[in-house]
Amino acid sequence: MTHPVTNPAAQLQAKLPSPLKRLADLAYNYWWSWSTDHLSLFRAINADEWEHCGHNPVALLEMSSYNRLTQLAEDPVYLKRLQVLVGKFDAYMAETNTWASRVAPQITHEHPIAYFCAEFGLHESLQIYSGGLGILAGDHLKSASDLGVPMVGIGLLYRQGYFHQRLNRHGWQEDYYTDNIFDRLPLELIRDERGEAITFELLIRQRLVRVQIWKVRVGRVNLYLLDTDRHDNDPVDRWLTGHLYGGNQDTRIAQEVVLGIGGVRALQAMGIEPSVYHLNEGHAAFSLLEIARTEVLKQGKSFYDIEAWVRDRCIFTTHTPVPAGHDVFSADLMDSYFATYWPELGLSREQFLALGARRLGDPWEPFGMTVLALRLCRAANGVSELHGQVSRKMWNILYPERSEDNVPIAHITNGVHSRTWTAPLIGDLYNRYLGEDWSIHVSDPGMWSKVDQIPDVELWERHMILKERLIAHTRYRVKHARQSRGEEDYYVQSANHLLDPHVLTIGFARRFSPYKRGDLLLRDADRALKILGNSDRPVQIIFSGKSHPADEEGKRIIQRLMEWCRHPAIQNRVAFIEDYDIYTAKKLIQGVDVWLNNPRRPLEASGTSGQKVCFNGGINCSVLDGWWCEGYQAGPDGKGLNGWAIGEDKHTSDQDLQDRVDSESLYALLEQEIVPLYYDQDEQGIPHNWIRLMKASIKSNSPAFNTDRMIADYVTQMYAPGAAKGEPILASLAL
């Protein structure tokens, strides 16, 4: 394998005082972001600059004065903290006796799993993600690292990432972009022995495009990001990796060529030979064609002779429960990109297009990326039990000889990386009552049963601190947004009084798409006002999230929410945080009392935000869709034991009826169960029955809905089906 000659971490070390040099190693490996001291290690250098640089440790160290760094270099308390963390980091990186090495030794670092995805949400400082798919991909890599699964990630390095959001004085979403400064990020350009960037070529729009490769260290896993922003490319081609999910169909297919075909060529250029290619969603399905083309040329055999060989090495995860959400390209567009490619596969145009056709023989049938993936992968899965069922029904057309139940699409339910999303304040409580090694046993239900030992007062006190932090963050962001919009001063200053930590607080944050029904709570205005504006038992709600730039209805939903933020009766009870990102997500899922999720069933493939809430003691109130179908538990009386279910466990094509039924169910839950339970408090203000539900939420959901369990399922069911079963799922001890 070829490695870069120059190491940016070493270059950064040269600028640091001797006792602080190891800070550079931590800054260039995102392991620090889920370490035990991630909150304050870098912030202690300069809190203001830490906020200014977007929590980017490389930029922080580059901009810190030598005077400040030498002050820290003589601070024995700081040096001891650094020494302890570096010791854990070194032990983590050196560990060889990992869970994966015991369960699946056939997966080796010489032949790792190659995990392809269009976006990765590792941390707020690396803005190459838009939402749930990227966050899941980031958590996937983190748990793969923690469990010692040999893996590399393949994605794109977007010059400007996903759009930023601002709302104008009419509440309408406006989109803008900012450049990612690659030289100031924890990135490493892959170079050859001469120090030159390793590149490879792709034919796109009949032009040769050169692509370079960047490396991001994610614990023991490397994520390789492809970049066309090179001076020797045509100006148009430099923008192929400009924006995530931007542009038209032409841009989309070009990006997917870079990700899929380019991803395979990048691995070849670095001398990496994967044992398994895992396509996380259909964006990377062109990789299957390149794997086949390489083997056709290598073996001199026909495509159909090596098709089984390709299939045996590839697996596919689908995340989209509606046909319209899957990428398809017209035959004309495929002609313009692949007319010189399919001859290299030894295929005719008709044979080539048939690989992506749902209905064979239809000349107007578009080329589907999910269809291509299902045809050329040996295994496929949905991301929750219900989504598996929906996917089997959706794609039954590809398997006419099989019944719906026997369509070969299984399910592995999504999870979250607990060590990233659990608030340190709650994690410290777990250290005391569950054991200091709780974070390596997150899939063990027996360990989580110890949550009952946590005194109600202690859990509630810490939850209230996190809620106060959420409210402070909300006030700061809302005030800044009002100032930026040029609002009147009284309205700007009123943000200082927004929300109350003693009031029942609901959180709702996700992409604002019509099917997610972000304004369902406000469907009956009078009833919503009565609930939110109750003087004795008030309720407050914090919204956040973006609408896709082309989704006008999603933007109108946000606009309606902004009108409610100005309603005189409840203006301190409703807030909207603009420009949703990972940092705001953490504050929300760690600080809310109730997490609201009300999509139209069955359009939520899984969802993971509610899973994050559980690790922090929050309680879900959700439609029975996605993961919540598996997580929700009801007692004999039909009432929730670990949260609340909105509506019924069924769906209808009558959207207005479903909206009416679900909103009525939500109002009834709030009025009759949720609000009374929260305000049932003793003389000290402790709601013991509410806390009982908090503990049930933690105990029942945490061991099941984490990415350690999820990765273990992928290893034993998809990556290495012959892997040993029954081995306890343990993350690395050095965590």
Side-chain angles (χ1 to χ4, degrees):
M1 293 174 59
T2 304
H3 297 281
V5 174
T6 55
N7 183 336
Q11 294 176 348
L12 182 56
Q13 279 186 345
K15 302 176 182 180
L16 300 176
S18 180
L20 302 184
K21 288 189 180 297
R22 293 302 305 278
L23 274 174
D25 294 327
L26 295 174
Y28 272 95
N29 192 317
Y30 273 105
W31 175 88
W32 72 265
S33 69
W34 73 91
S35 69
T36 53
D37 200 13
H38 71 271
L39 270 186
S40 56
L41 181 75
F42 291 108
R43 186 174 62 189
I45 297 174
N46 187 317
D48 291 337
E49 291 294 351
W50 181 240
E51 296 300 322
H52 178 71
C53 70
H55 306 159
N56 174 357
V58 171
L60 175 74
L61 292 172
E62 291 280 6
M63 68 176 59
S64 295
S65 70
Y66 196 70
N67 182 56
R68 174 56 184 155
L69 293 172
T70 55
Q71 288 176 352
L72 288 170
E74 65 173 3
D75 181 348
V77 176
Y78 187 83
L79 293 180
K80 184 175 182 180
R81 286 172 53 199
L82 176 58
Q83 183 181 20
V84 169
L85 195 60
V86 166
K88 291 182 177 181
F89 174 66
D90 289 342
Y92 177 92
M93 296 299 291
E95 185 181 3
T96 57
N97 183 25
T98 63
W99 175 86
S101 70
R102 297 188 296 273
V103 171
Q106 63 268 49
I107 306 174
T108 66
H109 292 284
E110 291 73 28
H111 300 287
I113 309 299
Y115 181 79
F116 286 66
C117 193
E119 54 173 303
F120 286 88
L122 297 169
H123 186 259
E124 60 265 22
S125 62
L126 187 59
Q127 297 186 3
I128 57 170
Y129 64 92
S130 73
L133 181 68
I135 302 302
L136 175 79
D139 284 5
H140 192 105
L141 296 189
K142 292 173 184 177
S143 272
S145 173
D146 291 343
L147 295 181
V149 179
M151 181 177 289
V152 295
I154 298 291
L156 301 181
L157 182 60
Y158 303 98
R159 176 173 168 181
Q160 295 189 336
Y162 200 50
F163 76 93
H164 290 281
Q165 175 198 57
R166 62 179 166 227
L167 305 180
N168 63 27
R169 296 187 70 169
H170 301 290
W172 190 253
Q173 174 181 293
E174 297 175 345
D175 320 321
Y176 69 98
Y177 292 88
T178 58
D179 281 345
N180 286 315
I181 310 301
F182 298 162
D183 292 339
R184 284 290 184 95
L185 287 167
L187 304 171
E188 183 177 334
L189 185 63
I190 301 297
R191 303 176 185 273
D192 61 22
E193 296 84 352
R194 302 183 305 277
E196 299 294 326
I198 291 178
T199 63
F200 59 88
E201 293 182 341
L202 292 169
L203 186 64
I204 298 178
R205 305 187 185 109
Q206 305 307 310
R207 290 193 299 269
L208 282 178
V209 177
R210 291 177 178 84
V211 184
Q212 60 192 10
I213 311 163
W214 299 80
K215 178 166 71 175
V216 182
R217 299 176 189 268
V218 188
R220 292 178 288 226
V221 169
N222 289 330
L223 167 61
Y224 296 103
L225 301 173
L226 312 182
D227 170 29
T228 65
D229 187 17
R230 290 177 50 85
H231 69 277
D232 50 2
N233 281 332
D234 185 277
V236 173
D237 296 326
R238 295 185 68 170
W239 279 100
L240 286 178
T241 52
H243 302 123
L244 171 60
Y245 303 145
N248 55 21
Q249 281 285 87
D250 196 64
T251 302
R252 187 70 164 236
I253 192 173
Q255 286 189 335
E256 296 187 4
V257 167
V258 176
L259 175 63
I261 296 176
V264 175
R265 293 184 185 179
L267 291 168
Q268 294 169 347
M270 294 183 290
I272 299 173
E273 298 181 12
S275 58
V276 174
Y277 295 83
H278 182 177
L279 314 186
N280 191 42
E281 195 52 283
H283 309 113
F286 289 143
S287 62
L288 301 165
L289 302 177
E290 182 64 9
I291 296 166
R293 188 192 72 90
T294 300
E295 204 60 24
V296 165
L297 296 177
K298 179 180 177 181
Q299 296 191 28
K301 296 182 178 180
S302 74
F303 173 84
Y304 299 108
D305 287 334
I306 58 89
E307 185 177 0
W309 184 93
V310 173
R311 187 179 293 110
D312 189 54
R313 284 157 178 76
C314 301
I315 67 170
F316 171 58
T317 299
T318 176
H319 292 260
T320 311
V322 290
H326 296 258
D327 280 346
V328 295
F329 302 111
S330 69
D332 288 344
L333 196 57
M334 292 298 292
D335 287 343
S336 66
Y337 277 84
F338 289 94
T340 61
Y341 191 91
W342 63 66
E344 296 186 42
L345 290 167
L347 297 176
S348 67
R349 177 181 183 271
E350 291 72 22
Q351 290 171 322
F352 178 79
L353 293 178
L355 294 173
R358 293 176 76 238
R359 291 180 293 271
L360 298 177
D362 183 348
W364 303 106
E365 179 72 17
F367 190 97
M369 299 296 278
T370 298
V371 175
L372 175 64
L374 290 171
R375 285 219 167 98
L376 291 183
C377 288
R378 64 169 165 82
N381 69 283
V383 290
S384 69
E385 184 177 3
L386 177 60
H387 180 233
Q389 297 170 10
V390 171
S391 297
R392 287 189 289 276
K393 181 177 182 179
M394 185 189 314
W395 299 110
N396 198 173
I397 189 174
L398 299 182
Y399 310 92
E401 76 287 355
R402 294 174 179 256
S403 66
E404 183 179 307
D405 290 342
N406 290 318
V407 169
I409 302 176
H411 82 275
I412 293 177
T413 302
N414 285 343
V416 300
H417 188 252
S418 61
R419 292 166 288 278
T420 291
W421 298 102
T422 304
L425 202 61
I426 298 297
D428 179 66
L429 201 60
Y430 294 160
N431 285 340
R432 292 173 57 190
Y433 292 97
L434 277 59
E436 293 192 358
D437 61 350
W438 73 269
S439 66
I440 71 172
H441 295 277
V442 293
S443 300
D444 179 8
M447 181 202 69
W448 287 108
S449 67
K450 298 178 184 177
V451 164
D452 286 331
Q453 299 175 16
I454 301 175
D456 287 0
V457 173
E458 291 190 42
L459 180 58
W460 188 248
E461 284 178 348
R462 297 194 181 212
H463 172 68
M464 289 299 291
I465 292 170
L466 292 169
K467 198 199 303 194
E468 288 174 1
R469 179 69 190 98
L470 165 62
I471 289 174
H473 175 73
T474 305
R475 289 173 176 174
Y476 173 80
R477 291 288 297 273
V478 170
K479 184 175 183 179
H480 177 75
R482 291 176 180 179
Q483 288 173 326
S484 299
R485 287 195 294 269
E487 303 276 11
E488 295 182 25
D489 186 63
Y490 84 90
Y491 189 56
V492 172
Q493 298 306 320
S494 69
N496 294 327
H497 308 289
L498 187 64
L499 308 174
D500 181 342
H502 298 289
V503 169
L504 171 62
T505 303
I506 300 173
F508 181 98
R510 50 191 38 84
R511 179 166 56 91
F512 276 86
S513 178
Y515 84 86
K516 292 179 182 284
R517 302 187 296 183
D519 56 351
L520 184 69
L521 177 62
L522 311 178
R523 191 175 190 275
D524 183 332
D526 292 338
R527 198 139 172 214
L529 281 172
K530 183 179 178 181
I531 293 170
L532 294 168
N534 189 299
S535 58
D536 296 324
R537 300 188 302 184
V539 176
Q540 58 195 15
I541 185 166
I542 304 171
F543 294 97
S544 192
K546 302 175 181 179
S547 174
H548 188 278
D551 186 352
E552 297 297 305
E553 179 55 31
K555 293 179 183 180
R556 282 191 283 271
I557 292 172
I558 293 174
Q559 188 175 42
R560 287 196 288 273
L561 296 181
M562 290 300 291
E563 292 171 358
W564 276 78
C565 291
R566 288 181 174 273
H567 195 291
I570 54 168
Q571 61 182 358
N572 287 332
R573 295 282 179 259
V574 183
F576 190 100
I577 304 176
E578 295 180 21
D579 206 25
Y580 188 44
D581 65 359
I582 288 177
Y583 185 69
T584 290
K586 285 184 178 179
K587 294 293 170 262
L588 278 163
I589 59 98
Q590 293 170 1
V592 297
D593 298 305
V594 174
W595 192 253
L596 182 61
N597 182 42
N598 42 236
R600 289 196 179 99
R601 178 184 163 91
L603 302 183
E604 187 91 319
S606 172
T608 57
S609 55
Q611 298 171 349
K612 301 176 180 81
V613 169
C614 297
F615 280 94
N616 295 282
I619 307 173
N620 280 272
C621 179
S622 174
V623 167
L624 285 169
D625 198 6
W627 78 277
W628 191 231
C629 292
E630 301 164 53
Y632 175 68
Q633 297 176 355
D637 60 357
K639 293 186 176 181
L641 300 176
N642 63 349
W644 297 277
I646 299 171
E648 300 176 356
D649 189 7
K650 60 183 179 181
H651 64 275
T652 173
S653 59
D654 188 334
Q655 293 185 356
D656 186 66
L657 173 62
Q658 187 173 11
D659 291 352
R660 186 165 66 253
V661 169
D662 288 348
S663 62
E664 173 60 36
S665 173
L666 176 56
Y667 294 138
L669 283 172
L670 285 167
E671 293 166 343
Q672 299 169 24
E673 296 186 37
I674 299 175
V675 173
L677 187 67
Y678 179 86
Y679 286 104
D680 178 18
Q681 302 177 357
D682 66 15
E683 297 81 3
Q684 286 75 43
I686 309 297
H688 293 282
N689 289 325
W690 182 273
I691 295 170
R692 175 180 50 79
L693 213 59
M694 290 174 66
K695 291 179 178 179
S697 175
I698 297 169
K699 290 186 300 180
S700 61
N701 294 309
S702 299
F705 302 106
N706 62 79
T707 42
D708 288 4
R709 185 274 312 156
M710 184 189 81
I711 287 289
D713 285 349
Y714 275 108
V715 168
T716 58
Q717 299 176 34
M718 306 284 274
Y719 298 158
K725 303 289 177 65
E727 176 79 16
I729 304 170
L730 298 177
S732 288
L733 293 172
L735 288 168

